[in-house]
Amino acid sequence: MPIRTPAESHAAFLRAFNAGDAAAVLAYYAPDARVNFPDGRTAVGPEQIAAAMAPFLALKGTMTMETLYAVEHADTALTRGKWRVTGTSPTDGSPVVMEGSNVEVLRRQPDGTWLCAIDLPFGGNA
C-alpha cells in the first residue's frame, strides 16, 4: 500500500480498513506516529495504534470517505476528510454507524512515499 501522493492517502487507508487488514492499517502510519482521540487518549507507535484500531476493525465494517483536501508543502502534507463507518457490534450484533471528520499530517519518507505522522480521526469535528 505505498502512498505515492498525499491525495492517495485516504484511499489507501480505506482499502486496508475495508479489507479488515490490521497490518495494512498499521502500515499507513509512520513508526513514531500518534493518533489522538477526543477523549484525550493518544496512541503512540505501532503497538498502541494497533490496540486503538482493534475495536474499529472488530466492527467488520465498511468505511467511506470524502477527501476535502490534501495540501502538500515540501515533505509535509495536511489532509482532511469526512468518513462514515457502518458495521456490526461484536458484543451484541447490533448495527453500528459512526461518522466523523478527520485531519492528518503526513510526512514524505526517504523513498518518496508518504506515511501518516499525526492522525486526528475526529479532529475536524470541533
Side-chain angles (χ1 to χ4, degrees):
M1 151 176 106
I3 300 168
R4 304 276 180 225
T5 69
E8 295 176 358
S9 66
H10 290 157
F13 186 86
L14 284 174
R15 279 191 303 277
F17 184 91
N18 289 337
D21 187 340
V25 168
L26 198 55
Y28 173 77
Y29 295 98
D32 61 344
R34 52 191 315 118
V35 180
N36 296 78
F37 295 94
D39 64 4
R41 287 179 306 128
T42 300
V44 180
E47 292 83 17
Q48 290 182 13
I49 292 173
M53 291 297 167
F56 297 102
L57 291 170
L59 298 173
K60 299 194 184 313
T62 300
M63 176 183 276
T64 58
M65 187 181 309
E66 173 189 4
T67 298
L68 301 176
Y69 56 77
V71 181
E72 179 182 339
H73 176 68
D75 291 336
T76 305
L78 179 67
T79 59
R80 181 168 182 209
K82 292 173 69 172
W83 57 268
R84 178 181 174 99
V85 173
T86 56
T88 305
S89 168
T91 308
D92 63 11
S94 63
V96 174
V97 177
M98 300 173 63
E99 297 181 314
S101 294
N102 52 297
V103 177
E104 300 90 16
V105 174
L106 287 87
R107 286 192 311 235
R108 187 186 330 256
Q109 303 302 297
D111 67 359
T113 62
W114 293 81
L115 293 176
C116 183
I118 303 171
D119 184 2
L120 288 86
F122 299 89
N125 291 0

